[in-house]
Amino acid sequence: RCLHKHQVSKVVYPQTANSESLLAMPQLQSVKNQRIMLVCGVGGRDTIESTLIARGARVERLEVYQRMPVDNIQNELPRRPLWIVSSAAVLEVLDRTLGDPQQVLVTSERLAHLALQKQHQVCAISNSALDQDIINCLSQMTAG
């Protein structure tokens, strides 16, 4: 919507909001000698960048955000929260900050696998990290 607002008329995106779905799109299969700007956060997975480089693209990173852990979060938490985990970085913060396994809703099968490796209880897997998919997943959980 924002791109359309700024007169960018041709916008394509995958049905599922994750790196693998983006890289599977036909538009990103033949990218040799193309210049691609990757708008991303500091750190995180390098899957998109490394795959596009392997396909011959020249990739420039524009890091526009950074995930930051909250200090002394233990004192602010409810007794047994359900964490919504949309990145491996969130799992690392949970492990580093809280230490013991947590109940999590994850936004991909990949994150479910990582969470289970770290002994977390995966309560649900949403279709993607999009807000509406997470809300739908939470609604399904509470519906029974």
Side-chain angles (χ1 to χ4, degrees), residues 45 67 85-93 110-111 114 118:
R45 297 173 68 198
R67 292 180 178 94
V85 175
S86 61
S87 73
V90 172
L91 286 172
E92 292 298 325
V93 170
R110 179 185 66 84
L111 289 174
L114 288 173
K118 295 173 178 284

Side-chain angles (χ1 to χ4, degrees), residues 77-139:
L77 297 176
R79 179 105 180 109
R80 197 72 175 138
L82 173 69
W83 293 94
I84 297 173
V85 175
S86 61
S87 73
V90 172
L91 286 172
E92 292 298 325
V93 170
L94 285 177
D95 291 343
R96 190 172 53 248
T97 307
L98 302 176
D100 59 333
Q102 300 294 311
Q103 294 180 2
V104 296
L105 177 156
V106 295
T107 58
S108 71
E109 292 288 339
R110 179 185 66 84
L111 289 174
H113 182 70
L114 288 173
L116 290 170
Q117 285 180 332
K118 295 173 178 284
Q119 308 302 312
H120 296 291
Q121 179 187 352
V122 177
C123 298
I125 303 171
S126 72
N127 289 334
S128 77
L130 295 173
D131 291 345
Q132 192 58 56
D133 285 339
I134 293 170
I135 290 167
N136 291 345
C137 187
L138 287 167
S139 295

